[in-house]
Amino acid sequence: MPLQIDLHTHTTCSDGADSPTELVGEALAAGIDVLGLSDHDTLAGWAEAAEAVAGTGMAVIPAIELSCQVLEPGSGVPPRSVHLLGYLPDPQHAGLKEQTAKIRSHRDHRLQLMVEKLRVDFDITWEEVSAHIPQGATAGRPHIAHILIEKGYFPDTSAAFAGPLRADGPYHVPHYAPRLAEGIRILSEAGAVPILAHPYTGGRSGAIDHQLDAAEILGGYRALAEQGLAGLEIHHRENTQEGKEVLGLVAKELNFIVTGSSDFHGSKKPNVLGENTTTEEEFHRILAAATGSEPLR
Ligand code: AMP
Ligand code: ZN
């Protein structure tokens, strides 16, 4: 039986529903052997996960999902939000600490501004939302969704995201994030292995404009590889089928590491632990390339 390797999950340290201890327990129950802990813009869950996983036989891969953005100056197209997974960074790296603190602080302020806009049409206050965000956690729209669901406006997080929380809606406020090239540089300097999360979810999403022709798409990814991008999360429920095929060809051509993961958020999203996995071969490429920290066992 091959190892079950799920490299992308969230906890209450960002917008997941379960604490790191609960996540480790659920992953063990789901038969996961290697679990990537990749909260948005924070490493805060690592210590608790290390305690929870000790002696269980499972390994936790300490990681982060860094918020980044792609700008196409002069195109008239709004900045695109892109997420960059970083495996095994050095938690003491000053640049990474500084950048994540800045993103989290802007996320707090941005969520507050979104609540101010929502208040016009919904019974919701910042006091209610902030009371629901655990101390120090990375604030995100799912925290607003929780209150809207509690008040009966929506049945679940997905419905709230399809409604007032959508990125192109009137209540949305963007938050600061470093340019993707800078995110790749910071993670690389911190000894991490940078891998693009769910790179091809359709439309104009993603680091590369996938409406370009095949040669231009490959050229775009080649430029990211030259900046230090190491891989693509191809096996993820939000990548389109066509996207998986395109990304597969790109990965082969550029020798990218290919991962698969659930992006588990507990009850905040329908994603199930182990629904997509990474092969042992690709996982070992990550281990061989990382210099910032060690798996937690
Ligand atoms: P934000 O970080 O505030 O931009 O909110 C986006 C995040 O919400 C995503 O990265 C996901 O982690 C999370 N999320 C949870 N449920 C959904 C959903 N149904 N649609 C989009 N994002 C979701
Ligand atoms: Zn994620």
Side-chain angles (χ1 to χ4, degrees):
M1 174 86 176
L3 291 181
Q4 293 297 298
I5 304 170
D6 184 342
L7 291 180
H8 181 169
T9 66
H10 295 269
T11 73
T12 44
C13 294
S14 63
D15 56 10
D18 308 310
S19 69
T21 305
E22 289 165 338
L23 171 67
V24 166
E26 287 175 60
L28 280 167
I32 303 295
D33 301 296
V34 178
L35 181 76
L37 172 59
S38 53
D39 274 308
H40 297 285
D41 308 313
T42 183
L43 312 180
W46 291 18
E48 187 183 321
E51 273 189 40
V53 79
T56 61
M58 191 171 88
V60 166
I61 305 305
I64 188 168
E65 187 172 15
L66 190 68
S67 302
C68 296
Q69 59 179 327
V70 169
L71 307 174
E72 288 173 7
S75 69
V77 176
R80 293 201 293 275
S81 163
V82 172
H83 289 172
L84 184 63
L85 294 157
Y87 292 102
L88 296 151
D90 172 4
Q92 301 308 334
H93 186 268
L96 182 59
K97 277 183 166 174
E98 188 189 313
Q99 197 58 231
T100 51
K102 182 171 174 183
I103 300 170
R104 287 199 306 272
S105 142
H106 282 246
R107 277 176 162 277
D108 286 343
H109 184 57
R110 162 272 195 149
L111 216 62
Q112 209 164 335
L113 293 175
M114 281 191 70
V115 172
E116 284 310 309
K117 288 185 162 198
L118 285 158
R119 279 187 75 166
V120 176
D121 299 309
F122 297 87
D123 171 25
I124 188 167
T125 66
W126 175 243
E127 285 65 37
E128 291 165 334
V129 175
S130 60
H132 168 64
I133 304 173
Q135 184 73 32
T138 304
R141 283 174 281 165
H143 295 110
I144 299 181
H146 181 90
I147 303 299
L148 293 174
I149 294 163
E150 205 169 70
K151 296 205 167 180
Y153 287 112
F154 299 97
D156 53 34
T157 309
S158 297
F161 267 87
L165 299 185
R166 66 185 193 277
D168 60 351
Y171 307 102
H172 190 260
V173 177
H175 63 79
Y176 162 80
R179 303 277 288 264
L180 178 58
E182 193 184 354
I184 293 173
R185 182 182 60 75
I186 293 166
L187 286 176
S188 302
E189 284 176 7
V193 183
I195 294 190
L196 262 187
H198 38 72
Y200 197 143
T201 58
R204 291 192 71 97
S205 71
I208 304 300
D209 178 358
H210 294 113
Q211 285 154 351
L212 297 171
D213 68 34
E216 290 171 311
I217 290 174
L218 183 62
Y221 281 108
R222 193 186 300 281
L224 294 177
E226 283 162 3
Q227 288 161 14
L229 183 70
L232 303 174
E233 185 186 51
I234 297 186
H235 309 294
H236 184 289
R237 66 157 66 203
E238 284 164 35
N239 290 325
T240 64
Q241 191 51 43
E242 182 208 351
K244 288 176 188 173
E245 286 159 22
V246 171
L247 295 174
L249 294 173
V250 167
K252 212 168 178 184
E253 185 68 27
L254 300 176
N255 196 27
F256 275 140
I257 298 169
V258 171
T259 65
S261 359
S262 64
D263 204 353
F264 179 74
H265 283 69
S267 59
K268 303 268 181 183
K269 263 187 154 180
N271 311 31
V272 178
L273 279 166
E275 68 177 26
N276 284 295
T277 53
T278 299
T279 66
E280 289 179 42
E281 189 184 341
E282 298 298 297
F283 171 56
H284 281 109
R285 292 178 69 190
I286 295 176
L287 287 185
T291 57
S293 54
E294 295 287 329
L296 310 168
R297 295 180 194 278

